Amino acid sequence: MGVKRPIVPIALITPVAMIKKTPQIKIGTFLWLCLLVPLTRAAEPITSAWIINPATNQPASLARIRPEVHSVNPTEKHIEIRSAGLSLYDLGALQAPNDHLERIRQLRFRIPRCPIPAKQSIGARPDVWGVFVNGVPIYNLFEATSYQEQNLWHFDPLAQRDNSHPINLGMLPNLIADGTRHSPLLGYAFDGYPIYGPWGFGAAGELRRMHSGYRLRHITRRTALANGIVLTPAQYGPPVNDEYPLGTFVEDYEFDSCLGDLDEFNGRFAVTPEYPQGTYAYVLSTDAQGRLAFPYLLTGQYAGRVTTDELRAAFRDEAAPPSDVEQAGILFYQDKDAALTIHGKQLAAHQPLRLSFAITNNGKSVRHLEYVHERPLHLLVVSEDLEDFAHIHPTLTAGDRYEVTHTFPRGGRYRLYADYTPPGSAQRITSFVLDLPDRRPASVVRAASPYHVQLAASSPLRANTEIEFALTIRDAQTNQAVTDLEPFLGAWAHFVIIDERHESFIHAHPIESTPRAASHTHDVASLGPPPETIRTLTSFPRAGKYKLWAQFQRNGTVITQPFVLRVAAAPTNTKPATVIPPDAFKLNVSAHGFAPAQLTVTPGKPFKLAVTRDQLPNCANKIVFPALGLSFNLPLGQTTVIELPALPAGELSFACGMGMYKGVLIAQ
Ligand SMILES: [Cu+2]
């Protein structure tokens, strides 16, 4: 491929123009700076491409917040960039932070100096994916908000959904329009590869605007992801319509290798003015009409080789307290669905250990776990003797890992129950056993609870029997009923029940006073006023000793109240088996939801469903058809035959009484 030399002469013109004008930061200046800086230093671009603002004669308090890059420090393998994350150059929505920043930041970026192609790409950090040459972070644009906050259909913040509020793109439109030269180097991704504006050299050295390789999917219903994963009905996105047109969500796009100039990472290998020998580079992607086009800059997967630890160290706010256990992994478990790595100085109690989970689906790492009760993963840490209990929440980090730091109160054996829901799958529980040597005697002091918490059961505790529990909370001093509870993880309380042999794990939730079709993410607003009695339904798979932890929140504090339960053997089942009519559609429901979750029936004809509810604990005590205003009780471990009226062609959704499990009838 013939490669044209960079167009140096043009750059020289711009400085003259600049001197005359008021200090308005124009696109010209920005380009001039991007092009000129590297030339003057002729050093490797990754050390010289930065817009540096030296703190000459500035008091420290001002110097800390000055715009642009504060310093560039090359080390043997990395480049360290420092800035306050502020700039006079406006790249609009592309540099809009995910969260609202109320404080001064001292940012340090660390980027590999000599990038190499990755054999297998890894998932980016959840917050920042790279840095612009002006020291502003390249934020993760694609995971901040999602439909129903389920973390499955993520809103594309650059999708122009409302013409009355045009998205601010700062100087980007100029950058896109300016086809007179090779676009400038805009920044670096955390794998070390550069990021350019849209104009680059084509195969024949001609200047061309690069087109994205992504396109909108040909879908009318959002029931499967672009990677082929078929979602459960509880995970469906909204239909494609005026309110949610295609392009609303990041998941509305798919990569097409025959399309555009850029690969699935939104980059390509090319010669650029800064890299006359050629380099892999990410490119600000545009469409045929010259508009900014998905995925814009980075996709969240890197083309370059970068380790999880490198990504962890790639971005840090040195003004914020260090938060992490840095040590390498010291223990590793793997099961077919999940792997656990524990990091820390040593494997022992009384010190922080970083618990790092990698969730897989058919061997592929899963980045987006469905938010259930407001969290992607609930981790219950329980000591073997059921004395110690913790309910904590690992969060997404680099490499698609979910991590949380925990200090175990004493040594001994612990069970870690990870409760999560991958796309296309029902809830999963993966448990790990951890043995911790203990160097110090247990000194756990249990403070007296400020509450009298009572748990009453609707009937004697027997296995395989549905039990309704009623939880009442009174102030220990006044004995007054507590009436000002606060929602905790989207519910009035959470109940975790584990048996003494750690063979069964139950995560139960309150039966809200009013059955509702609301999504099972329990949006707090629909919860209504705090109840005086919190009820939940559950059952026990076998006789024996169980521990139940009830958790509720008041005045911002989560209270955990344990109860020991002794469950007797199951009553002998005298009920005759239900006769299932031959023309009935068969439906099962268990802790894994409805199976099948989608049923096709003939429109215009009444039909029967034979719903068999699993014996093992599950919260499907009812099946509800909100659109028909119908709901039917489902006794535990039995089959219930229900008759439904003729349906018009189309979809009819159904759910369990708590809106946890969902299904859909398709009349066609
Ligand atoms: Cu939780």
Side-chain angles (χ1 to χ4, degrees), residues 569-605:
T572 40
N573 187 359
T574 52
K575 269 217 173 64
T578 310
V579 179
I580 300 176
D583 60 343
F585 292 91
K586 294 187 183 61
L587 191 59
N588 294 317
V589 61
S590 71
H592 298 296
F594 288 102
Q598 190 170 302
L599 259 180
T600 306
V601 300
T602 317
K605 252 180 69 185

Side-chain angles (χ1 to χ4, degrees), residues 472-494:
T472 49
I473 304 153
R474 290 181 176 282
D475 184 298
Q477 270 157 8
T478 64
N479 203 30
Q480 291 299 306
V482 168
T483 56
D484 56 351
L485 286 182
E486 295 150 357
F488 169 51
L489 299 174
W492 291 119
H494 284 255

Side-chain angles (χ1 to χ4, degrees), residues 116-119 121 191 193 263 265 267 280 282 301-305:
I116 52 171
K119 288 200 181 63
S121 69
D191 60 356
Y193 283 128
D263 65 12
F265 307 110
Y280 180 89
Y282 300 99
Q301 295 281 324
Y302 292 108
R305 199 185 73 75

Side-chain angles (χ1 to χ4, degrees), residues 378 391 393 489:
H378 299 264
H391 180 174
H393 299 100
L489 299 174

Side-chain angles (χ1 to χ4, degrees), residues 112 114-124 129 188-195 214 262-269 279-283 297-307 311:
C114 311
I116 52 171
K119 288 200 181 63
Q120 195 185 1
S121 69
I122 71 161
W129 291 353
Y188 282 84
F190 282 157
D191 60 356
Y193 283 128
I195 303 167
Y214 283 78
L262 307 172
D263 65 12
E264 73 267 37
F265 307 110
N266 208 37
R268 64 176 193 139
F269 187 89
T279 178
Y280 180 89
Y282 300 99
V283 175
L297 273 178
L298 302 173
T299 62
Q301 295 281 324
Y302 292 108
R305 199 185 73 75
V306 63
T307 65
L311 284 179

Side-chain angles (χ1 to χ4, degrees), residues 372-373 375 377-380 391-393 419 488-489 494 507 551:
V372 175
H373 286 286
R375 296 290 189 280
L377 201 161
H378 299 264
L379 184 65
L380 292 308
H391 180 174
I392 54 180
H393 299 100
D419 175 355
F488 169 51
L489 299 174
H494 284 255
H507 192 166
Q551 294 192 289

